[in-house]
Amino acid sequence: MQYIDKIKEIVRLLKESQKTLALTGAGISTESGIPDYRSPQTGLWEKHDPIKTASLSALKKDPAQFYAINLERWTAYNNAKPNPAHYALERLEKTGLLLGVITQNIDSLHVKAGSNRVWEVHGHLRTCHCMSCKAEHDFSNLAARFKGGENPPRCLKCSGILRPDVVLFEDRMNEDFFQATQVISGCQLLLVVGSSLTVYPVAGLPGVAKQIVIINKTPTPWDEEAAVVINESAGRVFRDIMAELGEQLPGELGNTAENH
């Protein structure tokens, strides 16, 4: 099937589906300047062992090293801007063709793009909390304390160590994940965007959907089960999907994406 025929088929599936969701991974955010995790040579986990650097045990064992390795990268995530793929999913939700987005990303770009229904199954970087007294703080407070020389950043109330509200390796899944497993029940069409579909339990979610479409630069374990597979950048594909639908992205705001 030629590329343009795949775009037309995705649009047909979108129009016919009564319940469509998107499942997004790191690949949707690369055009916003955020590196993905598993691409050969360039993926973040090619450079760092996540169990040694981004796990709950790493945080507890050496919180200062944990923040020295991770915080600059996370702060850059918070400075990134949505790209055309994020805006397209927001627009599909507004037009009623998409129920919402289940995302593995912690970068808040779906929220920034204006999507209303977003299940952030690996958490986010908007808030943090104290590991001792559980007091909640803005993530910006954690970042500012670290930038001011406080490592590890500590709670203003009890001096306990702060941690971001993300799901680290070895953490239990969060409430958004359990909500997502309920929301996806009865899903007729799942748009998988920028996910390698190798990280469980999230990688098992496509098995619930009646049909899946995969938009990812590299192959995934679910490709043979998909109605359509496109190995292209998410931004290009969604620009073409929206054009086929006769929809324009808001001011092509994706062109303002910053690199970090």
Side-chain angles (χ1 to χ4, degrees), residues 89-158:
L89 291 174
E90 182 272 340
R91 186 63 188 156
L92 289 174
E93 181 187 341
K94 292 294 191 296
T95 58
L97 291 174
L98 185 73
L99 178 63
V101 177
I102 300 167
T103 186
Q104 297 169 276
N105 299 337
I106 61 174
D107 53 33
S108 295
L109 292 181
H110 290 295
V111 174
K112 289 181 181 179
S115 290
N116 289 321
R117 297 189 191 94
V118 183
W119 294 273
E120 296 167 305
V121 297
H122 289 163
H124 57 78
L125 291 168
R126 298 186 295 278
T127 57
C128 62
H129 68 271
C130 174
M131 296 177 68
S132 298
C133 73
K134 311 304 180 186
E136 293 188 0
H137 304 267
D138 286 341
F139 181 82
S140 59
N141 177 270
L142 182 158
R145 296 177 76 79
F146 179 86
K147 190 174 181 180
E150 185 176 304
N151 188 20
R154 293 186 175 275
C155 175
L156 291 170
K157 294 184 178 180
C158 76

Side-chain angles (χ1 to χ4, degrees), residues 151-256:
N151 188 20
R154 293 186 175 275
C155 175
L156 291 170
K157 294 184 178 180
C158 76
S159 295
I161 295 171
L162 297 177
R163 63 155 291 175
D165 288 328
V166 299
V167 178
L168 302 171
F169 287 89
E170 303 168 344
D171 266 332
R172 70 183 294 275
M173 296 303 288
N174 65 4
E175 181 60 29
D176 272 25
F177 172 76
F178 295 107
Q179 290 180 12
T181 61
Q182 295 178 322
V183 167
I184 203 171
S185 176
C187 176
Q188 294 183 7
L189 179 64
L190 181 67
L191 305 177
V192 179
V193 188
S195 176
S196 62
L197 294 177
T198 57
V199 180
Y200 283 84
V202 176
L205 293 179
V208 180
K210 184 177 180 181
Q211 289 185 298
I212 60 175
V213 165
I214 297 177
I215 301 164
N216 196 54
K217 283 189 172 182
T218 57
T220 81
W222 283 92
D223 287 3
E224 291 187 5
E225 309 296 327
V228 181
V229 177
I230 299 184
N231 297 132
E232 295 281 354
S233 71
R236 178 194 175 189
V237 173
F238 274 100
R239 277 197 180 101
D240 292 337
I241 288 172
M242 301 311 283
E244 184 68 21
L245 283 165
E247 295 280 347
Q248 188 167 1
L249 297 176
E252 280 293 315
L253 290 175
N255 293 333
T256 63

